[in-house]
PDB file of all heavy atoms in Angstrom:
ATOM      1  N   ASN A  35     -13.954  24.670   7.974  1.00 91.00           N
ATOM      2  CA  ASN A  35     -14.024  26.139   8.407  1.00 91.00           C
ATOM      3  C   ASN A  35     -13.730  27.002   7.311  1.00 91.00           C
ATOM      4  O   ASN A  35     -14.265  28.043   7.195  1.00 91.00           O
ATOM      5  CB  ASN A  35     -13.016  26.268   9.543  1.00 91.00           C
ATOM      6  CG  ASN A  35     -13.140  27.662  10.163  1.00 91.00           C
ATOM      7  OD1 ASN A  35     -14.105  28.057  10.497  1.00 91.00           O
ATOM      8  ND2 ASN A  35     -11.939  28.355  10.276  1.00 91.00           N
ATOM      9  N   ALA A  37     -12.492  25.510   3.763  1.00 93.00           N
ATOM     10  CA  ALA A  37     -12.163  24.754   2.637  1.00 93.00           C
ATOM     11  C   ALA A  37     -12.606  25.351   1.301  1.00 93.00           C
ATOM     12  O   ALA A  37     -11.905  25.314   0.293  1.00 93.00           O
ATOM     13  CB  ALA A  37     -12.625  23.266   2.691  1.00 93.00           C
ATOM     14  N   THR A  38     -13.773  25.972   1.388  1.00 94.00           N
ATOM     15  CA  THR A  38     -14.340  26.615   0.164  1.00 94.00           C
ATOM     16  C   THR A  38     -13.411  27.719  -0.413  1.00 94.00           C
ATOM     17  O   THR A  38     -13.479  27.965  -1.621  1.00 94.00           O
ATOM     18  CB  THR A  38     -15.762  27.085   0.379  1.00 94.00           C
ATOM     19  OG1 THR A  38     -15.745  27.983   1.505  1.00 94.00           O
ATOM     20  CG2 THR A  38     -16.711  25.910   0.652  1.00 94.00           C
ATOM     21  N   ASP A  39     -12.663  28.289   0.464  1.00 93.00           N
ATOM     22  CA  ASP A  39     -11.860  29.483   0.049  1.00 93.00           C
ATOM     23  C   ASP A  39     -10.771  28.997  -0.882  1.00 93.00           C
ATOM     24  O   ASP A  39     -10.208  29.837  -1.707  1.00 93.00           O
ATOM     25  CB  ASP A  39     -11.266  30.150   1.268  1.00 93.00           C
ATOM     26  CG  ASP A  39     -12.258  30.822   2.219  1.00 93.00           C
ATOM     27  OD1 ASP A  39     -13.433  31.028   1.805  1.00 93.00           O
ATOM     28  OD2 ASP A  39     -11.897  31.085   3.388  1.00 93.00           O
ATOM     29  N   ASP A  42     -10.576  28.425  -5.421  1.00 93.00           N
ATOM     30  CA  ASP A  42     -10.196  29.213  -6.628  1.00 93.00           C
ATOM     31  C   ASP A  42      -9.016  28.607  -7.355  1.00 93.00           C
ATOM     32  O   ASP A  42      -8.736  29.034  -8.500  1.00 93.00           O
ATOM     33  CB  ASP A  42      -9.882  30.585  -6.034  1.00 93.00           C
ATOM     34  CG  ASP A  42      -8.851  30.676  -4.930  1.00 93.00           C
ATOM     35  OD1 ASP A  42      -8.330  29.567  -4.621  1.00 93.00           O
ATOM     36  OD2 ASP A  42      -8.529  31.765  -4.505  1.00 93.00           O
ATOM     37  N   TYR A  47      -8.128  25.413 -14.570  1.00 92.00           N
ATOM     38  CA  TYR A  47      -7.547  24.077 -14.595  1.00 92.00           C
ATOM     39  C   TYR A  47      -7.138  23.563 -15.954  1.00 92.00           C
ATOM     40  O   TYR A  47      -6.041  22.988 -16.064  1.00 92.00           O
ATOM     41  CB  TYR A  47      -8.550  23.106 -13.989  1.00 92.00           C
ATOM     42  CG  TYR A  47      -8.287  21.621 -13.975  1.00 92.00           C
ATOM     43  CD1 TYR A  47      -7.477  21.073 -12.998  1.00 92.00           C
ATOM     44  CD2 TYR A  47      -8.850  20.770 -14.966  1.00 92.00           C
ATOM     45  CE1 TYR A  47      -7.216  19.716 -13.013  1.00 92.00           C
ATOM     46  CE2 TYR A  47      -8.473  19.448 -14.952  1.00 92.00           C
ATOM     47  CZ  TYR A  47      -7.704  18.861 -13.909  1.00 92.00           C
ATOM     48  OH  TYR A  47      -7.475  17.553 -13.937  1.00 92.00           O
ATOM     49  N   ASN A  49      -6.183  25.350 -18.566  1.00 89.00           N
ATOM     50  CA  ASN A  49      -4.986  26.086 -19.098  1.00 89.00           C
ATOM     51  C   ASN A  49      -3.743  25.579 -18.497  1.00 89.00           C
ATOM     52  O   ASN A  49      -2.584  25.659 -19.132  1.00 89.00           O
ATOM     53  CB  ASN A  49      -5.180  27.585 -18.808  1.00 89.00           C
ATOM     54  CG  ASN A  49      -6.284  28.155 -19.713  1.00 89.00           C
ATOM     55  OD1 ASN A  49      -6.305  28.032 -20.849  1.00 89.00           O
ATOM     56  ND2 ASN A  49      -7.125  28.938 -19.105  1.00 89.00           N
ATOM     57  N   ARG A  99     -34.617  18.863  -8.544  1.00 58.00           N
ATOM     58  CA  ARG A  99     -34.366  17.467  -8.370  1.00 58.00           C
ATOM     59  C   ARG A  99     -34.055  17.132  -6.929  1.00 58.00           C
ATOM     60  O   ARG A  99     -33.368  17.805  -6.206  1.00 58.00           O
ATOM     61  CB  ARG A  99     -33.037  17.132  -9.234  1.00 58.00           C
ATOM     62  CG  ARG A  99     -33.240  17.171 -10.709  1.00 58.00           C
ATOM     63  CD  ARG A  99     -32.136  16.484 -11.423  1.00 58.00           C
ATOM     64  NE  ARG A  99     -31.854  15.149 -11.042  1.00 58.00           N
ATOM     65  CZ  ARG A  99     -31.214  14.280 -11.788  1.00 58.00           C
ATOM     66  NH1 ARG A  99     -30.782  14.619 -13.006  1.00 58.00           N
ATOM     67  NH2 ARG A  99     -31.021  13.121 -11.336  1.00 58.00           N
ATOM     68  N   LEU A 120     -30.521   7.618  13.153  1.00 35.00           N
ATOM     69  CA  LEU A 120     -31.556   6.727  12.894  1.00 35.00           C
ATOM     70  C   LEU A 120     -31.008   5.336  13.125  1.00 35.00           C
ATOM     71  O   LEU A 120     -29.732   5.056  12.922  1.00 35.00           O
ATOM     72  CB  LEU A 120     -32.008   6.895  11.389  1.00 35.00           C
ATOM     73  CG  LEU A 120     -32.544   8.226  11.077  1.00 35.00           C
ATOM     74  CD1 LEU A 120     -32.933   8.172   9.636  1.00 35.00           C
ATOM     75  CD2 LEU A 120     -33.776   8.629  11.894  1.00 35.00           C
ATOM     76  N   THR A 187       8.034  33.794   2.522  1.00 51.00           N
ATOM     77  CA  THR A 187       8.926  34.812   2.955  1.00 51.00           C
ATOM     78  C   THR A 187       8.869  35.031   4.472  1.00 51.00           C
ATOM     79  O   THR A 187       9.825  35.184   5.240  1.00 51.00           O
ATOM     80  CB  THR A 187       8.703  36.142   2.243  1.00 51.00           C
ATOM     81  OG1 THR A 187       8.909  35.980   0.779  1.00 51.00           O
ATOM     82  CG2 THR A 187       9.652  37.262   2.702  1.00 51.00           C
ATOM     83  N   LYS A 188       7.547  35.177   4.914  1.00 45.00           N
ATOM     84  CA  LYS A 188       7.413  35.435   6.386  1.00 45.00           C
ATOM     85  C   LYS A 188       7.924  34.184   7.139  1.00 45.00           C
ATOM     86  O   LYS A 188       8.439  34.371   8.222  1.00 45.00           O
ATOM     87  CB  LYS A 188       5.846  35.523   6.607  1.00 45.00           C
ATOM     88  CG  LYS A 188       5.374  36.992   6.097  1.00 45.00           C
ATOM     89  CD  LYS A 188       3.848  37.152   6.354  1.00 45.00           C
ATOM     90  CE  LYS A 188       3.346  38.495   5.880  1.00 45.00           C
ATOM     91  NZ  LYS A 188       2.011  38.666   6.103  1.00 45.00           N
ATOM     92  N   ARG A 189       7.693  32.972   6.663  1.00 45.00           N
ATOM     93  CA  ARG A 189       8.087  31.780   7.346  1.00 45.00           C
ATOM     94  C   ARG A 189       9.642  31.791   7.501  1.00 45.00           C
ATOM     95  O   ARG A 189      10.170  31.451   8.547  1.00 45.00           O
ATOM     96  CB  ARG A 189       7.630  30.523   6.579  1.00 45.00           C
ATOM     97  CG  ARG A 189       7.937  29.213   7.304  1.00 45.00           C
ATOM     98  CD  ARG A 189       7.594  28.034   6.513  1.00 45.00           C
ATOM     99  NE  ARG A 189       8.497  27.848   5.335  1.00 45.00           N
ATOM    100  CZ  ARG A 189       9.650  27.242   5.475  1.00 45.00           C
ATOM    101  NH1 ARG A 189      10.027  26.774   6.587  1.00 45.00           N
ATOM    102  NH2 ARG A 189      10.493  27.147   4.404  1.00 45.00           N
ATOM    103  N   LYS A 203      21.258  33.643  22.905  1.00 52.00           N
ATOM    104  CA  LYS A 203      21.025  32.895  24.223  1.00 52.00           C
ATOM    105  C   LYS A 203      22.323  32.069  24.412  1.00 52.00           C
ATOM    106  O   LYS A 203      22.660  31.773  25.564  1.00 52.00           O
ATOM    107  CB  LYS A 203      19.803  32.152  24.151  1.00 52.00           C
ATOM    108  CG  LYS A 203      18.514  32.915  24.171  1.00 52.00           C
ATOM    109  CD  LYS A 203      17.312  32.023  24.089  1.00 52.00           C
ATOM    110  CE  LYS A 203      15.964  32.790  24.091  1.00 52.00           C
ATOM    111  NZ  LYS A 203      14.812  31.942  23.994  1.00 52.00           N
TER     112      LYS A 203
END
Side-chain angles (χ1 to χ4, degrees):
N35 192 47
T38 54
D39 294 342
D42 58 0
Y47 175 79
N49 288 313
R99 291 191 59 160
L120 303 176
T187 301
K188 290 180 180 179
R189 187 185 71 83
K203 291 178 182 178

